[in-house]
Amino acid sequence: MPHPVLDTPISPLRQRLIDEMNMRRFSRETQRNYLRDIGRLATFLGRSPDTATTDDLRRFQIEQQDDGVPVPTMNSIVSALRFFFTHTVDRPDLARKLVRLAHPRKLPVVLSRDEVARLLNATTCLKHQAALSVAYGSGLRVPDG
């Protein structure tokens, strides 16, 4: 029985992208992600992604942000598109227009001296106090839920 996905011909542009990634020994996961992300742009445009303009890319990034796409995912999409425009279609001018977003970092919660003292005095076992002291002193923290 023929497999519909395997029997569908690959466009020359998609094949060129795959060849470029294979030459650079990209992992299968990276290739899958890049193909997906460039497909997102093609879906947004409603046409081949190699026909994109600077304004198209700007609108695409704004839509992704408005749709609530997380910052790391947005930056991954930018990496895929930069590769595509730089290496696959030789349009580095468009690659330079893509904007990476700063990933906001949260400062860790730091306990006051009194809170640390209460934590260490919460147990009467010397072994547990030592373990808590080492864990806290070395910076071991429980991530926020």
Side-chain angles (χ1 to χ4, degrees), residues 15-82:
Q15 187 60 56
R16 193 173 350 144
L17 173 60
I18 292 168
D19 292 343
E20 291 288 340
M21 291 189 290
N22 283 332
M23 280 194 302
R24 288 166 178 78
R25 298 179 186 242
F26 282 18
S27 72
R28 289 284 168 218
E29 185 71 16
T30 299
Q31 290 189 31
R32 185 182 65 79
N33 290 338
Y34 277 27
L35 289 167
R36 180 199 61 219
D37 294 340
I38 293 162
R40 281 183 181 189
L41 175 63
T43 301
F44 170 79
L45 294 173
R47 61 184 194 276
S48 181
D50 64 336
T51 65
T53 65
T54 302
D55 189 54
D56 290 332
L57 294 179
R58 192 178 129 284
R59 287 184 302 111
F60 175 69
Q61 284 197 280
I62 290 169
E63 182 181 276
Q64 296 294 297
Q65 192 172 21
D66 290 348
D67 287 349
V69 174
V71 170
T73 304
M74 296 261 309
N75 288 336
S76 176
I77 293 169
V78 167
S79 295
L81 294 176
R82 280 185 178 169

Coordinates of all heavy atoms in Angstrom, one line a residue, residues 15-82:
Q15 N 13.9 20.5 -0.6 CA 15.1 19.6 -0.8 C 16.4 20.3 -0.6 O 17.3 19.8 0.0 CB 15.0 18.9 -2.2 CG 16.1 17.8 -2.3 CD 15.9 16.7 -1.3 OE1 14.8 16.1 -1.2 NE2 17.0 16.4 -0.5
R16 N 16.5 21.5 -1.2 CA 17.7 22.3 -1.0 C 18.0 22.6 0.5 O 19.1 22.5 0.9 CB 17.6 23.6 -1.8 CG 18.9 24.4 -1.9 CD 18.9 25.6 -2.9 NE 17.7 25.7 -3.6 CZ 17.1 26.8 -4.0 NH1 17.6 28.0 -3.6 NH2 16.0 26.9 -4.7
L17 N 16.9 23.0 1.2 CA 17.0 23.2 2.7 C 17.5 21.9 3.4 O 18.4 22.0 4.2 CB 15.7 23.6 3.2 CG 15.6 23.8 4.8 CD1 16.6 24.8 5.3 CD2 14.2 24.1 5.2
I18 N 16.9 20.8 3.0 CA 17.3 19.5 3.7 C 18.8 19.2 3.3 O 19.6 18.8 4.2 CB 16.4 18.4 3.2 CG1 15.0 18.6 3.8 CG2 17.0 17.0 3.6 CD1 13.9 17.7 3.3
D19 N 19.2 19.4 2.1 CA 20.6 19.2 1.7 C 21.5 20.1 2.4 O 22.6 19.7 2.9 CB 20.7 19.4 0.2 CG 20.0 18.4 -0.7 OD1 19.7 17.3 -0.1 OD2 19.8 18.6 -1.9
E20 N 21.2 21.4 2.6 CA 22.0 22.3 3.3 C 22.2 21.9 4.8 O 23.3 22.0 5.4 CB 21.4 23.8 3.3 CG 21.5 24.4 2.0 CD 22.9 24.9 1.5 OE1 23.8 25.0 2.4 OE2 23.1 25.1 0.3
M21 N 21.1 21.4 5.4 CA 21.2 21.0 6.8 C 22.0 19.7 6.9 O 22.8 19.5 7.8 CB 19.8 20.8 7.4 CG 19.0 22.1 7.6 SD 17.5 22.0 8.5 CE 16.5 21.1 7.3
N22 N 21.8 18.8 5.9 CA 22.6 17.5 5.9 C 24.1 17.8 5.8 O 24.9 17.2 6.4 CB 22.1 16.6 4.9 CG 20.8 15.9 5.3 OD1 20.5 15.7 6.4 ND2 20.0 15.5 4.3
M23 N 24.4 18.7 4.9 CA 25.9 19.1 4.7 C 26.5 19.6 6.0 O 27.7 19.3 6.2 CB 26.0 20.2 3.6 CG 25.9 19.6 2.2 SD 26.5 20.8 1.0 CE 25.4 22.2 1.3
R24 N 25.7 20.2 6.8 CA 26.2 20.8 8.1 C 26.0 19.8 9.2 O 26.2 20.2 10.4 CB 25.6 22.1 8.3 CG 26.1 23.2 7.4 CD 25.2 24.4 7.4 NE 25.8 25.5 6.6 CZ 25.7 25.5 5.2 NH1 25.0 24.6 4.6 NH2 26.2 26.5 4.5
R25 N 25.5 18.6 8.9 CA 25.3 17.6 9.9 C 24.4 18.0 11.0 O 24.6 17.7 12.2 CB 26.7 17.1 10.5 CG 27.5 16.5 9.4 CD 28.8 16.0 10.0 NE 29.7 15.6 8.9 CZ 30.2 14.3 8.8 NH1 29.9 13.4 9.7 NH2 31.0 14.0 7.8
F26 N 23.3 18.7 10.7 CA 22.3 19.0 11.7 C 21.7 17.7 12.2 O 21.4 16.8 11.4 CB 21.2 19.9 11.1 CG 21.6 21.4 11.0 CD1 23.0 21.8 11.0 CD2 20.7 22.3 10.8 CE1 23.3 23.1 10.8 CE2 21.0 23.7 10.6 CZ 22.3 24.0 10.6
S27 N 21.3 17.7 13.4 CA 20.6 16.5 14.0 C 19.3 16.4 13.4 O 18.7 17.4 12.8 CB 20.5 16.6 15.5 OG 19.6 17.6 15.9
R28 N 18.7 15.2 13.4 CA 17.3 15.0 12.9 C 16.3 15.9 13.6 O 15.4 16.4 13.0 CB 16.9 13.5 13.1 CG 17.6 12.6 12.2 CD 17.1 12.7 10.7 NE 18.0 12.0 9.8 CZ 18.2 12.5 8.6 NH1 17.7 13.6 8.2 NH2 19.1 11.8 7.8
E29 N 16.5 16.1 14.9 CA 15.6 16.9 15.7 C 15.7 18.4 15.2 O 14.7 19.0 15.0 CB 16.0 16.8 17.2 CG 15.0 17.6 18.1 CD 13.7 16.9 18.2 OE1 13.5 15.8 17.9 OE2 12.8 17.6 18.7
T30 N 16.9 18.9 15.0 CA 17.0 20.2 14.5 C 16.4 20.4 13.1 O 15.7 21.4 12.8 CB 18.5 20.6 14.4 OG1 19.1 20.6 15.8 CG2 18.7 22.0 13.9
Q31 N 16.6 19.4 12.3 CA 16.1 19.4 10.9 C 14.5 19.4 11.0 O 13.9 20.2 10.3 CB 16.5 18.3 10.1 CG 18.0 18.4 9.7 CD 18.4 17.3 8.7 OE1 17.6 16.9 7.9 NE2 19.7 16.9 8.8
R32 N 14.0 18.6 11.9 CA 12.5 18.6 12.0 C 12.0 19.9 12.5 O 11.0 20.4 12.0 CB 12.1 17.5 13.0 CG 10.6 17.3 13.2 CD 10.3 16.2 14.2 NE 10.7 16.6 15.5 CZ 10.0 17.4 16.3 NH1 8.9 17.9 15.9 NH2 10.5 17.7 17.6
N33 N 12.7 20.5 13.5 CA 12.3 21.8 14.0 C 12.4 22.9 12.9 O 11.5 23.8 12.8 CB 13.1 22.2 15.2 CG 12.8 21.3 16.4 OD1 11.7 20.7 16.5 ND2 13.7 21.3 17.3
Y34 N 13.5 22.9 12.2 CA 13.6 24.0 11.1 C 12.6 23.8 10.1 O 12.0 24.8 9.6 CB 15.0 23.9 10.5 CG 16.1 24.6 11.3 CD1 16.0 24.8 12.7 CD2 17.3 25.1 10.7 CE1 17.0 25.4 13.4 CE2 18.2 25.7 11.4 CZ 18.1 25.9 12.8 OH 19.1 26.6 13.5
L35 N 12.3 22.6 9.6 CA 11.3 22.4 8.6 C 9.9 22.9 9.1 O 9.1 23.5 8.4 CB 11.2 20.9 8.2 CG 12.4 20.5 7.4 CD1 12.4 19.0 7.3 CD2 12.4 21.1 6.0
R36 N 9.6 22.6 10.4 CA 8.4 23.0 11.0 C 8.3 24.5 11.0 O 7.3 25.1 10.7 CB 8.2 22.4 12.4 CG 6.9 22.8 13.1 CD 7.0 22.6 14.6 NE 8.1 23.5 15.1 CZ 8.9 23.1 16.1 NH1 8.8 21.9 16.7 NH2 9.8 23.9 16.6
D37 N 9.4 25.2 11.5 CA 9.3 26.6 11.6 C 9.2 27.3 10.3 O 8.5 28.4 10.2 CB 10.6 27.1 12.4 CG 10.6 26.6 13.9 OD1 9.5 26.2 14.4 OD2 11.6 26.5 14.5
I38 N 9.9 26.8 9.3 CA 9.8 27.5 8.0 C 8.4 27.2 7.4 O 7.9 28.0 6.7 CB 11.0 27.0 7.1 CG1 12.3 27.5 7.7 CG2 10.8 27.4 5.6 CD1 13.5 26.9 7.2
G39 N 7.9 26.1 7.7 CA 6.5 25.8 7.3 C 5.5 26.7 8.0 O 4.5 27.1 7.4
R40 N 5.8 27.1 9.2 CA 4.9 28.1 9.9 C 4.9 29.4 9.1 O 3.9 30.1 8.9 CB 5.5 28.5 11.3 CG 5.1 27.5 12.3 CD 5.7 28.0 13.7 NE 5.4 27.1 14.7 CZ 5.6 27.3 16.0 NH1 6.0 28.4 16.4 NH2 5.3 26.4 16.9
L41 N 6.1 29.9 8.6 CA 6.2 31.1 7.8 C 5.4 30.9 6.5 O 4.7 31.8 6.1 CB 7.6 31.5 7.6 CG 7.8 32.7 6.6 CD1 7.2 33.9 7.3 CD2 9.3 32.9 6.3
A42 N 5.6 29.8 5.9 CA 4.9 29.5 4.6 C 3.4 29.6 4.8 O 2.6 30.1 4.0 CB 5.3 28.2 4.0
T43 N 2.9 29.0 5.9 CA 1.5 29.0 6.2 C 1.0 30.4 6.4 O -0.1 30.8 5.9 CB 1.2 28.1 7.4 OG1 1.6 26.8 7.1 CG2 -0.3 28.1 7.8
F44 N 1.8 31.2 7.2 CA 1.4 32.6 7.4 C 1.3 33.4 6.1 O 0.4 34.1 5.9 CB 2.5 33.2 8.4 CG 2.3 34.7 8.5 CD1 1.4 35.2 9.4 CD2 3.2 35.5 7.9 CE1 1.3 36.6 9.5 CE2 3.1 36.9 8.0 CZ 2.1 37.4 8.8
L45 N 2.3 33.1 5.3 CA 2.4 33.9 4.0 C 1.3 33.4 3.0 O 0.8 34.2 2.2 CB 3.8 33.8 3.4 CG 4.9 34.4 4.1 CD1 6.2 34.0 3.4 CD2 4.8 35.9 4.2
G46 N 1.0 32.1 3.0 CA 0.1 31.6 2.0 C 0.8 31.4 0.7 O 0.2 31.3 -0.3
R47 N 2.2 31.4 0.7 CA 2.9 31.2 -0.5 C 4.3 30.7 -0.1 O 4.6 30.5 1.1 CB 3.0 32.5 -1.3 CG 3.7 33.7 -0.6 CD 3.7 34.9 -1.4 NE 4.6 35.9 -0.9 CZ 4.3 36.8 0.0 NH1 3.1 36.8 0.6 NH2 5.2 37.7 0.4
S48 N 5.2 30.5 -1.0 CA 6.5 30.0 -0.8 C 7.3 30.9 0.1 O 7.3 32.2 -0.1 CB 7.3 29.8 -2.1 OG 8.6 29.3 -1.8
P49 N 8.0 30.4 1.1 CA 8.7 31.3 2.1 C 9.9 32.1 1.4 O 10.3 33.1 2.0 CB 9.2 30.4 3.2 CG 9.2 29.0 2.5 CD 8.1 29.0 1.5
D50 N 10.4 31.6 0.3 CA 11.5 32.4 -0.3 C 11.0 33.6 -1.0 O 11.9 34.4 -1.4 CB 12.2 31.5 -1.3 CG 11.4 31.0 -2.5 OD1 10.2 31.0 -2.4 OD2 12.0 30.7 -3.5
T51 N 9.7 33.9 -1.0 CA 9.2 35.1 -1.6 C 8.9 36.2 -0.5 O 8.4 37.2 -0.8 CB 7.9 34.9 -2.3 OG1 6.9 34.4 -1.4 CG2 8.1 33.8 -3.5
A52 N 9.3 35.9 0.7 CA 9.0 36.8 1.9 C 9.7 38.1 1.7 O 10.8 38.2 1.1 CB 9.4 36.1 3.2
T53 N 9.1 39.2 2.2 CA 9.7 40.5 2.3 C 10.1 40.8 3.7 O 9.6 40.1 4.6 CB 8.8 41.5 1.7 OG1 7.6 41.6 2.6 CG2 8.3 41.2 0.3
T54 N 10.8 41.9 3.9 CA 11.1 42.4 5.2 C 9.8 42.6 6.0 O 9.7 42.3 7.2 CB 11.9 43.7 5.1 OG1 13.1 43.4 4.4 CG2 12.3 44.2 6.5
D55 N 8.8 43.2 5.4 CA 7.6 43.5 6.1 C 6.8 42.2 6.4 O 6.2 42.1 7.5 CB 6.7 44.4 5.2 CG 5.4 44.9 5.9 OD1 5.6 45.5 7.0 OD2 4.3 44.7 5.4
D56 N 6.9 41.2 5.5 CA 6.3 39.9 5.9 C 6.9 39.3 7.1 O 6.2 38.8 8.0 CB 6.5 38.9 4.7 CG 5.7 39.3 3.5 OD1 4.6 39.9 3.6 OD2 6.2 38.9 2.4
L57 N 8.2 39.4 7.2 CA 8.9 38.8 8.4 C 8.5 39.6 9.7 O 8.3 39.0 10.7 CB 10.4 38.8 8.2 CG 10.9 37.9 7.1 CD1 12.4 38.0 7.0 CD2 10.5 36.5 7.3
R58 N 8.4 40.9 9.6 CA 8.1 41.7 10.7 C 6.7 41.3 11.2 O 6.4 41.1 12.4 CB 8.1 43.2 10.3 CG 8.1 44.1 11.5 CD 8.2 45.6 11.0 NE 7.1 46.4 11.6 CZ 5.8 46.4 11.2 NH1 5.5 45.7 10.1 NH2 4.9 47.1 11.7
R59 N 5.7 41.2 10.2 CA 4.3 40.9 10.6 C 4.3 39.5 11.2 O 3.5 39.2 12.1 CB 3.4 41.0 9.4 CG 3.1 42.4 8.9 CD 2.1 42.6 7.8 NE 2.6 41.9 6.6 CZ 2.0 40.8 6.1 NH1 0.9 40.3 6.7 NH2 2.5 40.2 5.0
F60 N 5.1 38.6 10.6 CA 5.1 37.2 11.1 C 5.6 37.1 12.6 O 5.0 36.5 13.4 CB 6.0 36.3 10.2 CG 6.2 34.9 10.7 CD1 5.2 34.0 10.7 CD2 7.4 34.5 11.2 CE1 5.3 32.7 11.2 CE2 7.6 33.2 11.7 CZ 6.6 32.3 11.6
Q61 N 6.6 37.9 12.9 CA 7.1 37.9 14.2 C 6.1 38.5 15.2 O 6.0 38.0 16.3 CB 8.5 38.6 14.3 CG 9.6 37.7 13.8 CD 11.0 38.2 14.2 OE1 11.5 39.1 13.6 NE2 11.5 37.6 15.2
I62 N 5.5 39.6 14.8 CA 4.5 40.2 15.6 C 3.3 39.3 15.9 O 2.9 39.1 17.0 CB 4.0 41.5 15.0 CG1 5.1 42.6 15.0 CG2 2.8 42.0 15.7 CD1 4.9 43.8 14.2
E63 N 2.9 38.5 14.8 CA 1.8 37.6 15.0 C 2.2 36.5 16.0 O 1.4 36.1 16.8 CB 1.3 37.0 13.7 CG 0.1 36.1 13.9 CD -0.3 35.4 12.6 OE1 -1.1 36.1 11.9 OE2 0.1 34.3 12.4
Q64 N 3.4 36.0 15.8 CA 3.8 34.9 16.7 C 3.8 35.4 18.2 O 3.4 34.7 19.1 CB 5.3 34.4 16.4 CG 5.4 33.8 15.0 CD 4.6 32.5 14.9 OE1 5.0 31.6 15.6 NE2 3.6 32.5 14.0
Q65 N 4.3 36.6 18.4 CA 4.3 37.2 19.7 C 2.9 37.4 20.2 O 2.6 37.1 21.4 CB 5.1 38.5 19.7 CG 5.4 39.0 21.1 CD 6.3 40.2 21.0 OE1 6.4 40.9 20.0 NE2 7.0 40.5 22.1
D66 N 2.0 37.9 19.4 CA 0.6 38.1 19.8 C -0.1 36.8 20.1 O -1.0 36.8 20.9 CB -0.1 38.9 18.7 CG 0.3 40.3 18.6 OD1 1.0 40.8 19.5 OD2 -0.1 41.0 17.6
D67 N 0.3 35.7 19.4 CA -0.3 34.4 19.7 C 0.2 33.8 20.9 O -0.2 32.7 21.3 CB -0.1 33.5 18.5 CG -0.9 33.9 17.3 OD1 -1.8 34.7 17.4 OD2 -0.6 33.3 16.2
G68 N 1.2 34.4 21.6 CA 1.7 33.9 22.9 C 2.7 32.9 22.7 O 3.0 32.1 23.7
V69 N 3.4 32.8 21.6 CA 4.5 31.9 21.4 C 5.6 32.2 22.4 O 6.0 33.4 22.5 CB 5.1 31.9 20.0 CG1 6.3 31.1 19.8 CG2 4.0 31.5 19.0
P70 N 6.1 31.3 23.2 CA 7.1 31.6 24.2 C 8.4 32.1 23.6 O 8.8 31.8 22.5 CB 7.4 30.2 24.9 CG 6.2 29.4 24.5 CD 5.7 29.9 23.2
V71 N 9.2 32.9 24.4 CA 10.4 33.5 23.9 C 11.4 32.5 23.4 O 11.9 32.7 22.3 CB 11.0 34.4 25.0 CG1 12.4 34.9 24.6 CG2 10.1 35.6 25.3
P72 N 11.7 31.4 24.1 CA 12.6 30.4 23.5 C 12.2 29.9 22.2 O 13.0 29.6 21.3 CB 12.7 29.3 24.6 CG 12.3 30.0 25.8 CD 11.2 31.0 25.4
T73 N 10.9 29.6 22.0 CA 10.4 29.1 20.7 C 10.5 30.2 19.6 O 10.9 29.9 18.5 CB 8.9 28.7 20.9 OG1 8.8 27.7 21.9 CG2 8.3 28.1 19.6
M74 N 10.2 31.4 20.0 CA 10.4 32.5 19.0 C 11.8 32.6 18.5 O 12.1 32.8 17.4 CB 10.0 33.9 19.6 CG 8.5 34.0 20.0 SD 7.5 34.9 18.9 CE 8.3 36.4 18.6
N75 N 12.8 32.5 19.5 CA 14.2 32.5 19.1 C 14.6 31.3 18.3 O 15.5 31.4 17.4 CB 15.1 32.7 20.4 CG 14.9 34.1 21.0 OD1 14.6 35.0 20.3 ND2 15.2 34.2 22.2
S76 N 14.0 30.2 18.5 CA 14.3 29.0 17.7 C 13.8 29.2 16.3 O 14.4 28.9 15.3 CB 13.6 27.8 18.3 OG 13.7 26.7 17.5
I77 N 12.6 29.8 16.1 CA 12.1 30.2 14.8 C 13.0 31.1 14.1 O 13.3 31.0 12.9 CB 10.6 30.7 14.9 CG1 9.7 29.7 15.4 CG2 10.2 31.3 13.6 CD1 8.3 30.2 15.8
V78 N 13.5 32.1 14.8 CA 14.5 33.1 14.2 C 15.7 32.4 13.7 O 16.2 32.6 12.6 CB 14.8 34.2 15.2 CG1 16.0 35.0 14.7 CG2 13.6 35.1 15.5
S79 N 16.2 31.4 14.5 CA 17.4 30.6 14.1 C 17.1 29.9 12.8 O 17.9 29.9 11.8 CB 17.8 29.7 15.2 OG 18.3 30.4 16.3
A80 N 15.9 29.2 12.7 CA 15.6 28.5 11.5 C 15.5 29.4 10.3 O 16.0 29.1 9.2 CB 14.2 27.7 11.8
L81 N 14.8 30.5 10.5 CA 14.6 31.5 9.4 C 15.9 32.1 8.9 O 16.2 32.3 7.7 CB 13.6 32.5 9.7 CG 12.2 32.0 9.9 CD1 11.2 33.1 10.4 CD2 11.6 31.3 8.7
R82 N 16.8 32.4 9.9 CA 18.1 33.0 9.5 C 18.9 31.9 8.7 O 19.5 32.3 7.7 CB 18.9 33.3 10.8 CG 18.5 34.7 11.4 CD 19.3 35.1 12.5 NE 18.9 36.4 13.0 CZ 19.3 36.9 14.2 NH1 20.2 36.2 14.9 NH2 18.9 38.1 14.5

